[in-house]
Amino acid sequence: MEEKDRILELRQLLHKYNELYYVKNAPVVSDREFDSLMHELQDLEALHPEMFDPNSPTQRVGSDISSDFIQVEHRYPMLSLANTYNRGEVSDFWHRVSEGLSGAPFEICCELKFDGLSISLLYENGRLVRAVTRGDGSKGDDVTANVRTIRSVPLTIDPSLGCPDSFEVRGEVLMPWSSFERLNAERELREEALFANPRNAASGTLKSKSSKVVATRGLDAYFYYMLGDQLPSSCHSDNLLALANWGFKTSSATKVARSLEEVYAFIDYWDTQRSSLPVATDGIVLKVNDLRQQQQLGMTSKNPRWAIAYKFQAEKVKTRLLDVIFQVGRTGAVTPVAEMEPVLLAGTIVKRASLHNADIMEGLHLHRGDWVYVEKAGEIIPQIVGVVPGEHGTSQSGSLSFISVCPECGTPLVRYEGEAASYCPNDTACPPQIKGRIIHFISKDAMNIANIGPETIEEYYSRHLIADAADLYQLQVGQLCGADGSKLKSARKTIEGIRKSLEVPFTRSLYALGIRFVGKVVASQLARHFKSLDALQSASMDELLAVEGVGKVIAESIRSFFQEERNLLLIGRLQMAGVKFELEESAVVSPVGNVLQGKTIVISGVFVHHSREEYKAFIESQGGKNGSSISSKTSFVLAGDNMGPSKKDKALQLGVALMSEEEFLKMTGWE
Ligand code: IVH
């Protein structure tokens, strides 16, 4: 076959496999096979630049080229819906529709209201040509390059399926809970501001200037509306089925109701069941199903008369604010934390809420004793959303304000330009920063020193036994037990634990150093790339930027870490103590065997010892299968950190066991 024909064939094949995996959740080939076809296509495309196609499956990885968004006029305005909050308002809508249609029978299509950001895609001759955000409803930003990286968005449509020559499809770009949790976990490790909910994360991501970043963020998209001159049907729900047939992700929760009772039943069902969905929803959308009836009903000045949104209640509770305390982290960042009277909120007792930074705290004008509203942002992180009106506690004494000096060492705080956080700059002598660095060093994902935790570090530090991480390796049993020899057993165990930590691989000893913005995932990536601390230390800016997941901020942070004398001295002493700063060969290659013969394993979460791809390859090399979603056929879930709650629930429901990374390595003998 001619190379050019092979390119076309591969593109078609990969689009199909992609749809089966990301839209239909029913993969037919292994990841390895998929990757090898993708590589073949990449190689052939490199040989034939004249065949470049922005809709090729190879373009899903995005590019580094920064793009400023161009504003584009919508062919059909992007409307918003009127909101309702109770059954009475839903019933009013039903009766208004009935009246508007002069009593003629009608159907209501009930759908989930996805909580992301709306997007309009234009397809011409079966090819995605443009993706535009809602903007102000009449014009939005052209985000085509970013949307192309969303795996579940079809870039081309099989011509044999008979889609119109030109049509628009509207939907919602979302960040699934699992991607959101992974992203926030990574940001937390890098001490970056967390996204409050998946919608903000999706929106921040879609507006990113680098499509390469977008490609890594795990966005998804659901579609719920089609526009054009030659639609397949005059019935909305049939058009949704056509969209699904052409490869778009549509919601399987959609239901056509013929009575108000059926509408209420749909609302009641999803009000509770939505917690098990992989993406955030904030309500229900009700649409008149017949497009001719939609036309007949028309619009008000702002919204269509043929549709409304019903919004779920976000759980919000009142409690009393006791105080605001200020915590200093290992990087010196100072975080205001509200302490409140304990209160039950969405299943957990909440008594603290981060106020994030000076601006957010002061914007709330808090006083001790205020009654405040607490909500779970994105249903996870408790957040004070405001003071109960008229319920300011001791308003005369003035509102609580942010501090200007470090609460721990008295050094005046600094705020860097463009950053929301305030820092204590005294990194050499501010106790929580010193202790924080040691606590990070011993933590589970770093050196994993068993038997000692933050309290022990506090104790050793206050007894002047340690002043940095390297001092741990100088500790003697005699120093840790009482003068009378009491606690001898535990002292021996501690020393043994410290000694054992020397076996920790470079992927983790690098993370343990606590370089700013180098979380465990990035550390693992860097360790694998450079293979030794020496190589990392001498890497140029460009060499650092070549590593996946490393951008300018991380690269600069690494460079400045190695420019500090204090860090070099610490590394030298750790090296002398025997900490491994080189990657061992066994960590790079995995053997072939059959320990996982007949097992179907689903991988979920973030991993420390090996990358997700390495685990997948390993499972296959051992005769196992990689499952894409948890089902009764799943043998077990290899669960990393921050596995999504819905996946956990599903596993629990089906009685599928969760296995930690450590357990998995032990079981398979792959260390
Ligand atoms: S239909 C004219 N269906 O909610 C009808 N919208 O204010 C246009 N949304 O901007 C929207 N899920 O971003 C529709 N199943 C759904 C939806 C949905 C979420 C969003 C959309 C829209 C907003 C309504």
Side-chain angles (χ1 to χ4, degrees), residues 520-549:
K520 53 188 175 180
V521 177
V522 172
S524 172
Q525 219 81 277
L526 287 166
R528 270 164 231 290
H529 186 95
F530 291 103
K531 306 206 165 45
S532 76
L533 197 68
D534 283 346
L536 175 66
Q537 187 176 343
S538 47
S540 68
M541 203 60 189
D542 284 344
E543 283 166 335
L544 290 169
L545 289 169
V547 180
E548 201 181 325

mmCIF file of all heavy atoms in Angstrom, residues 520-549:
data_model
loop_
_atom_site.group_PDB
_atom_site.id
_atom_site.type_symbol
_atom_site.label_atom_id
_atom_site.label_comp_id
_atom_site.label_asym_id
_atom_site.label_seq_id
_atom_site.Cartn_x
_atom_site.Cartn_y
_atom_site.Cartn_z
ATOM 1 N N LYS A 520 5.243 14.709 43.373
ATOM 2 C CA LYS A 520 5.752 13.347 43.176
ATOM 3 C C LYS A 520 5.687 12.903 41.723
ATOM 4 O O LYS A 520 6.545 12.152 41.273
ATOM 5 C CB LYS A 520 5.056 12.352 44.105
ATOM 6 C CG LYS A 520 3.578 12.364 44.045
ATOM 7 C CD LYS A 520 2.998 11.495 45.138
ATOM 8 C CE LYS A 520 1.493 11.618 45.123
ATOM 9 N NZ LYS A 520 0.858 10.812 46.135
ATOM 10 N N VAL A 521 4.693 13.388 40.994
ATOM 11 C CA VAL A 521 4.584 12.962 39.598
ATOM 12 C C VAL A 521 5.733 13.562 38.775
ATOM 13 O O VAL A 521 6.424 12.863 38.030
ATOM 14 C CB VAL A 521 3.213 13.375 39.012
ATOM 15 C CG1 VAL A 521 3.122 12.995 37.553
ATOM 16 C CG2 VAL A 521 2.084 12.731 39.812
ATOM 17 N N VAL A 522 5.958 14.864 38.976
ATOM 18 C CA VAL A 522 7.051 15.528 38.240
ATOM 19 C C VAL A 522 8.403 14.940 38.658
ATOM 20 O O VAL A 522 9.281 14.699 37.821
ATOM 21 C CB VAL A 522 7.006 17.056 38.466
ATOM 22 C CG1 VAL A 522 8.234 17.719 37.875
ATOM 23 C CG2 VAL A 522 5.749 17.646 37.853
ATOM 24 N N ALA A 523 8.556 14.674 39.978
ATOM 25 C CA ALA A 523 9.834 14.123 40.455
ATOM 26 C C ALA A 523 10.105 12.790 39.761
ATOM 27 O O ALA A 523 11.219 12.519 39.305
ATOM 28 C CB ALA A 523 9.801 13.944 41.972
ATOM 29 N N SER A 524 9.074 11.976 39.673
ATOM 30 C CA SER A 524 9.239 10.671 39.053
ATOM 31 C C SER A 524 9.622 10.831 37.574
ATOM 32 O O SER A 524 10.510 10.149 37.059
ATOM 33 C CB SER A 524 7.926 9.921 39.232
ATOM 34 O OG SER A 524 7.931 8.751 38.530
ATOM 35 N N GLN A 525 8.968 11.785 36.933
ATOM 36 C CA GLN A 525 9.249 12.065 35.518
ATOM 37 C C GLN A 525 10.719 12.514 35.342
ATOM 38 O O GLN A 525 11.431 12.046 34.457
ATOM 39 C CB GLN A 525 8.332 13.228 35.113
ATOM 40 C CG GLN A 525 7.736 13.149 33.758
ATOM 41 C CD GLN A 525 6.520 12.268 33.707
ATOM 42 O OE1 GLN A 525 6.661 11.062 33.601
ATOM 43 N NE2 GLN A 525 5.329 12.842 33.771
ATOM 44 N N LEU A 526 11.145 13.430 36.220
ATOM 45 C CA LEU A 526 12.511 13.969 36.138
ATOM 46 C C LEU A 526 13.544 12.877 36.401
ATOM 47 O O LEU A 526 14.560 12.783 35.708
ATOM 48 C CB LEU A 526 12.699 15.094 37.160
ATOM 49 C CG LEU A 526 12.002 16.422 36.862
ATOM 50 C CD1 LEU A 526 11.990 17.305 38.103
ATOM 51 C CD2 LEU A 526 12.697 17.151 35.710
ATOM 52 N N ALA A 527 13.264 12.055 37.424
ATOM 53 C CA ALA A 527 14.220 11.013 37.795
ATOM 54 C C ALA A 527 14.415 10.050 36.632
ATOM 55 O O ALA A 527 15.527 9.640 36.307
ATOM 56 C CB ALA A 527 13.736 10.273 39.036
ATOM 57 N N ARG A 528 13.311 9.692 35.987
ATOM 58 C CA ARG A 528 13.396 8.766 34.858
ATOM 59 C C ARG A 528 14.125 9.394 33.681
ATOM 60 O O ARG A 528 14.835 8.736 32.939
ATOM 61 C CB ARG A 528 11.995 8.403 34.396
ATOM 62 C CG ARG A 528 11.461 7.221 35.073
ATOM 63 C CD ARG A 528 9.967 7.129 34.886
ATOM 64 N NE ARG A 528 9.370 6.951 36.185
ATOM 65 C CZ ARG A 528 9.499 5.849 36.877
ATOM 66 N NH1 ARG A 528 10.161 4.826 36.395
ATOM 67 N NH2 ARG A 528 8.983 5.753 38.078
ATOM 68 N N HIS A 529 13.928 10.678 33.510
ATOM 69 C CA HIS A 529 14.538 11.356 32.366
ATOM 70 C C HIS A 529 16.048 11.534 32.568
ATOM 71 O O HIS A 529 16.845 11.195 31.700
ATOM 72 C CB HIS A 529 13.860 12.707 32.171
ATOM 73 C CG HIS A 529 14.291 13.432 30.942
ATOM 74 N ND1 HIS A 529 13.588 13.358 29.770
ATOM 75 C CD2 HIS A 529 15.364 14.212 30.690
ATOM 76 C CE1 HIS A 529 14.198 14.080 28.858
ATOM 77 N NE2 HIS A 529 15.284 14.612 29.396
ATOM 78 N N PHE A 530 16.426 12.072 33.739
ATOM 79 C CA PHE A 530 17.846 12.406 33.933
ATOM 80 C C PHE A 530 18.657 11.279 34.564
ATOM 81 O O PHE A 530 19.870 11.271 34.492
ATOM 82 C CB PHE A 530 17.979 13.693 34.754
ATOM 83 C CG PHE A 530 17.518 14.909 33.990
ATOM 84 C CD1 PHE A 530 16.285 15.489 34.248
ATOM 85 C CD2 PHE A 530 18.302 15.444 32.990
ATOM 86 C CE1 PHE A 530 15.848 16.593 33.530
ATOM 87 C CE2 PHE A 530 17.883 16.546 32.259
ATOM 88 C CZ PHE A 530 16.657 17.117 32.530
ATOM 89 N N LYS A 531 17.974 10.399 35.257
ATOM 90 C CA LYS A 531 18.568 9.197 35.849
ATOM 91 C C LYS A 531 19.516 9.458 37.024
ATOM 92 O O LYS A 531 19.893 8.528 37.717
ATOM 93 C CB LYS A 531 19.256 8.313 34.795
ATOM 94 C CG LYS A 531 18.312 7.960 33.652
ATOM 95 C CD LYS A 531 18.664 6.683 32.981
ATOM 96 C CE LYS A 531 17.556 6.145 32.119
ATOM 97 N NZ LYS A 531 16.873 7.093 31.250
ATOM 98 N N SER A 532 19.961 10.697 37.235
ATOM 99 C CA SER A 532 20.773 10.968 38.426
ATOM 100 C C SER A 532 20.620 12.430 38.825
ATOM 101 O O SER A 532 20.279 13.278 37.992
ATOM 102 C CB SER A 532 22.250 10.672 38.166
ATOM 103 O OG SER A 532 22.812 11.713 37.388
ATOM 104 N N LEU A 533 20.898 12.690 40.111
ATOM 105 C CA LEU A 533 20.783 14.058 40.599
ATOM 106 C C LEU A 533 21.839 14.949 39.940
ATOM 107 O O LEU A 533 21.574 16.111 39.635
ATOM 108 C CB LEU A 533 20.940 14.080 42.125
ATOM 109 C CG LEU A 533 20.457 15.354 42.796
ATOM 110 C CD1 LEU A 533 18.942 15.479 42.680
ATOM 111 C CD2 LEU A 533 20.854 15.387 44.263
ATOM 112 N N ASP A 534 23.015 14.370 39.698
ATOM 113 C CA ASP A 534 24.073 15.151 39.053
ATOM 114 C C ASP A 534 23.612 15.655 37.697
ATOM 115 O O ASP A 534 23.800 16.817 37.346
ATOM 116 C CB ASP A 534 25.327 14.283 38.853
ATOM 117 C CG ASP A 534 26.081 14.132 40.161
ATOM 118 O OD1 ASP A 534 25.766 14.909 41.092
ATOM 119 O OD2 ASP A 534 26.943 13.236 40.255
ATOM 120 N N ALA A 535 22.994 14.731 36.915
ATOM 121 C CA ALA A 535 22.537 15.115 35.577
ATOM 122 C C ALA A 535 21.439 16.172 35.678
ATOM 123 O O ALA A 535 21.401 17.114 34.896
ATOM 124 C CB ALA A 535 22.024 13.889 34.828
ATOM 125 N N LEU A 536 20.564 16.016 36.663
ATOM 126 C CA LEU A 536 19.486 16.998 36.827
ATOM 127 C C LEU A 536 20.070 18.366 37.184
ATOM 128 O O LEU A 536 19.667 19.397 36.656
ATOM 129 C CB LEU A 536 18.509 16.532 37.919
ATOM 130 C CG LEU A 536 17.401 17.504 38.286
ATOM 131 C CD1 LEU A 536 16.438 17.695 37.112
ATOM 132 C CD2 LEU A 536 16.609 17.006 39.505
ATOM 133 N N GLN A 537 21.061 18.323 38.085
ATOM 134 C CA GLN A 537 21.670 19.565 38.548
ATOM 135 C C GLN A 537 22.337 20.334 37.415
ATOM 136 O O GLN A 537 22.297 21.559 37.375
ATOM 137 C CB GLN A 537 22.702 19.233 39.631
ATOM 138 C CG GLN A 537 23.278 20.444 40.299
ATOM 139 C CD GLN A 537 24.212 20.059 41.429
ATOM 140 O OE1 GLN A 537 24.194 18.922 41.912
ATOM 141 N NE2 GLN A 537 25.019 20.994 41.873
ATOM 142 N N SER A 538 22.938 19.594 36.476
ATOM 143 C CA SER A 538 23.636 20.318 35.408
ATOM 144 C C SER A 538 22.764 20.535 34.172
ATOM 145 O O SER A 538 23.250 21.031 33.163
ATOM 146 C CB SER A 538 24.951 19.624 35.064
ATOM 147 O OG SER A 538 24.717 18.251 34.920
ATOM 148 N N ALA A 539 21.477 20.159 34.259
ATOM 149 C CA ALA A 539 20.601 20.319 33.090
ATOM 150 C C ALA A 539 20.353 21.788 32.789
ATOM 151 O O ALA A 539 20.188 22.595 33.702
ATOM 152 C CB ALA A 539 19.275 19.613 33.337
ATOM 153 N N SER A 540 20.333 22.109 31.491
ATOM 154 C CA SER A 540 20.045 23.488 31.090
ATOM 155 C C SER A 540 18.534 23.703 31.131
ATOM 156 O O SER A 540 17.760 22.750 31.251
ATOM 157 C CB SER A 540 20.545 23.713 29.668
ATOM 158 O OG SER A 540 19.750 22.942 28.791
ATOM 159 N N MET A 541 18.163 24.953 31.015
ATOM 160 C CA MET A 541 16.745 25.301 30.993
ATOM 161 C C MET A 541 16.022 24.512 29.882
ATOM 162 O O MET A 541 14.961 23.936 30.116
ATOM 163 C CB MET A 541 16.678 26.801 30.707
ATOM 164 C CG MET A 541 15.450 27.479 31.132
ATOM 165 S SD MET A 541 15.172 27.360 32.890
ATOM 166 C CE MET A 541 13.550 28.024 32.910
ATOM 167 N N ASP A 542 16.616 24.454 28.701
ATOM 168 C CA ASP A 542 15.974 23.757 27.577
ATOM 169 C C ASP A 542 15.843 22.266 27.845
ATOM 170 O O ASP A 542 14.846 21.648 27.504
ATOM 171 C CB ASP A 542 16.768 23.972 26.272
ATOM 172 C CG ASP A 542 16.513 25.375 25.733
ATOM 173 O OD1 ASP A 542 15.541 25.999 26.187
ATOM 174 O OD2 ASP A 542 17.307 25.830 24.890
ATOM 175 N N GLU A 543 16.892 21.701 28.453
ATOM 176 C CA GLU A 543 16.839 20.264 28.756
ATOM 177 C C GLU A 543 15.725 19.973 29.760
ATOM 178 O O GLU A 543 15.027 18.970 29.659
ATOM 179 C CB GLU A 543 18.188 19.784 29.303
ATOM 180 C CG GLU A 543 19.216 19.615 28.194
ATOM 181 C CD GLU A 543 20.649 19.477 28.718
ATOM 182 O OE1 GLU A 543 20.936 19.960 29.843
ATOM 183 O OE2 GLU A 543 21.460 18.908 28.011
ATOM 184 N N LEU A 544 15.564 20.874 30.725
ATOM 185 C CA LEU A 544 14.491 20.680 31.716
ATOM 186 C C LEU A 544 13.126 20.792 31.052
ATOM 187 O O LEU A 544 12.219 19.996 31.304
ATOM 188 C CB LEU A 544 14.601 21.715 32.837
ATOM 189 C CG LEU A 544 15.782 21.545 33.791
ATOM 190 C CD1 LEU A 544 15.939 22.767 34.688
ATOM 191 C CD2 LEU A 544 15.601 20.296 34.655
ATOM 192 N N LEU A 545 12.997 21.774 30.174
ATOM 193 C CA LEU A 545 11.702 22.004 29.528
ATOM 194 C C LEU A 545 11.302 20.860 28.596
ATOM 195 O O LEU A 545 10.133 20.715 28.250
ATOM 196 C CB LEU A 545 11.725 23.330 28.756
ATOM 197 C CG LEU A 545 11.746 24.579 29.648
ATOM 198 C CD1 LEU A 545 12.031 25.822 28.828
ATOM 199 C CD2 LEU A 545 10.432 24.738 30.403
ATOM 200 N N ALA A 546 12.286 20.039 28.220
ATOM 201 C CA ALA A 546 11.989 18.922 27.316
ATOM 202 C C ALA A 546 11.285 17.773 28.047
ATOM 203 O O ALA A 546 10.774 16.855 27.428
ATOM 204 C CB ALA A 546 13.286 18.424 26.686
ATOM 205 N N VAL A 547 11.267 17.834 29.377
ATOM 206 C CA VAL A 547 10.648 16.744 30.144
ATOM 207 C C VAL A 547 9.142 16.966 30.220
ATOM 208 O O VAL A 547 8.685 18.080 30.462
ATOM 209 C CB VAL A 547 11.235 16.692 31.578
ATOM 210 C CG1 VAL A 547 10.602 15.559 32.373
ATOM 211 C CG2 VAL A 547 12.737 16.559 31.521
ATOM 212 N N GLU A 548 8.396 15.890 30.018
ATOM 213 C CA GLU A 548 6.942 16.005 30.035
ATOM 214 C C GLU A 548 6.468 16.515 31.395
ATOM 215 O O GLU A 548 6.934 16.087 32.446
ATOM 216 C CB GLU A 548 6.322 14.643 29.766
ATOM 217 C CG GLU A 548 4.914 14.807 29.283
ATOM 218 C CD GLU A 548 4.243 13.488 29.013
ATOM 219 O OE1 GLU A 548 4.937 12.575 28.566
ATOM 220 O OE2 GLU A 548 3.038 13.430 29.263
ATOM 221 N N GLY A 549 5.589 17.477 31.377
ATOM 222 C CA GLY A 549 5.026 17.996 32.621
ATOM 223 C C GLY A 549 5.861 19.117 33.230
ATOM 224 O O GLY A 549 5.497 19.684 34.242
#
